[in-house]
Amino acid sequence: MIRSLSSKEARLILQLEWDKRKFVTHKDIMAILKCNYGSARKIAHRLVTKRWLERITAGKFLLVSADRGVEKVAPDMNPYVIIKTLNEPYYFSYRIACLYHGLTTQMPRTIYIVLLRQRPVIELKNIEFHFVKLLRHKFFGWNKVKVFNEEVNMADLEKTVLDAIDREELVGGIEEIVRIIWRSYERLDYKRIKEYLARTRSNALCRRLGFLFDFLGIKLTKDLESFLLKCVGRNKIPLASAARWGKEGNLNTKWNLIINVPCQLLKTEIEIR
């Protein structure tokens, strides 16, 4: 199917390409064509049918530019363009942040975006965007960065590591946590780690981080280790997901953690120095 255009549609597409716009809304169409909302909806619908626009969510579209050809084609997909649908604070974390910081090399099929509220999953071109609700006191630790020509909020290295330990299931499990720590520890700002842990107010996170650094033979600063040890409570908690690994295992008395996952498994993907 050849992607034809009426004169009005052509004027819209030319203007969008001239402005280097990849993201389009009904309001954009109204402004460019000086038309009402009803007309803008009809034009958008026709352009979706003709494959000049790709619907993301209600009233929000990706432009399939002319350089993609005249046949029925897909847009040049930039996974970060999804932020154009958000009118609220957010940041990228978990697997996509690990990719950004060089802690993994594979582009994830599921991208996690942290918000202060829950939103339904969005699927776009075989990529699922999941929204993770965090409490306000945990909602911090990102920088503005540019990726694929989009400026986005990305978890910094320290918050990426802490978010991963806090929600291991969102990065691939405890095995992946070990790899993340091993690949990042030489670059971490440990003063910032301590500051972030204090803000997060999670004793479980502190204890798991302390054990994993001990396990990997990574020396913590005295100040940070002292802080972590003060977070060790009387209650015993499992190191890894109890739903996956169960609740049984040897007790690590220093961190009061039940080591419910085989330690040998944690060593398989890394080279212990």
Side-chain angles (χ1 to χ4, degrees), residues 21 26 43 52 83 118 129 140 168 219 264:
R21 299 281 296 276
H26 288 143
I43 291 167
W52 284 96
I83 64 166
Q118 195 61 57
F129 297 88
F140 63 88
E168 66 177 80
K219 190 172 181 58
Q264 189 57 40

Side-chain angles (χ1 to χ4, degrees), residues 28-267:
D28 295 327
I29 297 172
M30 292 167 64
I32 292 170
L33 297 181
K34 311 299 183 189
C35 64
N36 60 32
Y37 178 71
S39 296
R41 284 191 62 187
K42 290 178 182 177
I43 291 167
H45 177 74
R46 290 200 302 268
L47 290 173
V48 169
T49 302
K50 294 177 179 181
R51 305 297 295 138
W52 284 96
L53 295 180
E54 176 84 12
R55 183 180 181 276
I56 302 177
T57 59
K60 298 176 180 180
F61 311 88
L62 280 177
L63 173 65
V64 185
S65 58
D67 61 13
R68 301 289 287 167
V70 296
E71 299 295 334
K72 187 174 181 178
V73 293
D76 184 12
M77 182 56 196
N78 172 358
Y80 297 98
V81 79
I82 200 71
I83 64 166
K84 301 292 188 181
T85 69
L86 306 176
N87 296 311
E88 58 191 298
Y90 77 93
Y91 70 92
F92 287 95
S93 193
Y94 307 105
R95 287 182 175 179
I96 195 70
C98 288
L99 177 67
Y100 176 79
H101 291 292
L103 307 181
T104 185
T105 57
Q106 290 187 332
M107 182 69 186
R109 297 286 294 275
T110 301
I111 294 178
Y112 294 99
I113 303 174
V114 178
L115 301 176
L116 289 169
R117 68 184 181 97
Q118 195 61 57
R119 285 185 56 155
V121 174
I122 294 177
E123 186 172 355
L124 186 62
K125 292 299 169 189
N126 298 318
I127 297 177
E128 286 190 355
F129 297 88
H130 290 243
F131 300 94
V132 181
K133 178 183 176 182
L134 279 193
L135 297 174
R136 189 169 293 276
H137 72 272
K138 291 185 175 183
F139 192 84
F140 63 88
W142 68 85
N143 296 316
K144 285 195 176 297
V145 301
K146 202 160 190 179
V147 284
F148 295 115
N149 293 317
E150 290 288 343
E151 190 177 70
V152 302
N153 298 336
M154 182 72 66
D156 63 27
L157 180 62
E158 291 75 20
K159 194 59 159 61
T160 296
V161 172
L162 295 182
D163 280 352
I165 298 171
D166 197 39
R167 294 289 302 274
E168 66 177 80
E169 74 279 9
L170 302 186
V171 295
I174 189 68
E175 312 96 308
E176 192 62 30
I177 295 292
V178 170
R179 289 192 285 271
I180 287 168
I181 293 173
W182 189 246
R183 292 166 182 165
S184 66
Y185 79 91
E186 292 180 319
R187 294 187 282 144
L188 291 173
D189 181 331
Y190 289 97
K191 184 177 179 181
R192 184 176 296 168
I193 286 282
K194 180 186 172 185
E195 174 196 334
Y196 283 5
L197 287 169
R199 293 178 65 179
T200 301
R201 305 200 299 267
S202 171
N203 287 349
L205 175 56
C206 291
R207 291 154 68 178
R208 287 174 175 135
L209 183 145
F211 170 81
L212 289 168
F213 273 67
D214 277 356
F215 174 77
L216 292 171
I218 301 169
K219 190 172 181 58
L220 295 170
T221 63
K222 289 183 178 179
D223 186 47
L224 178 55
E225 183 172 36
S226 176
F227 173 83
L228 294 176
L229 287 170
K230 289 177 182 177
C231 296
V232 177
R234 294 182 178 179
N235 63 313
K236 301 175 180 64
I237 61 171
L239 170 64
S241 167
R244 179 183 176 194
W245 298 102
K247 298 180 180 179
E248 301 298 323
N250 295 326
L251 178 67
N252 179 282
T253 55
K254 180 178 178 180
W255 301 105
N256 207 14
L257 279 176
I258 300 169
I259 312 307
N260 61 333
V261 55
C263 286
Q264 189 57 40
L265 176 68
L266 303 182
K267 297 178 181 179

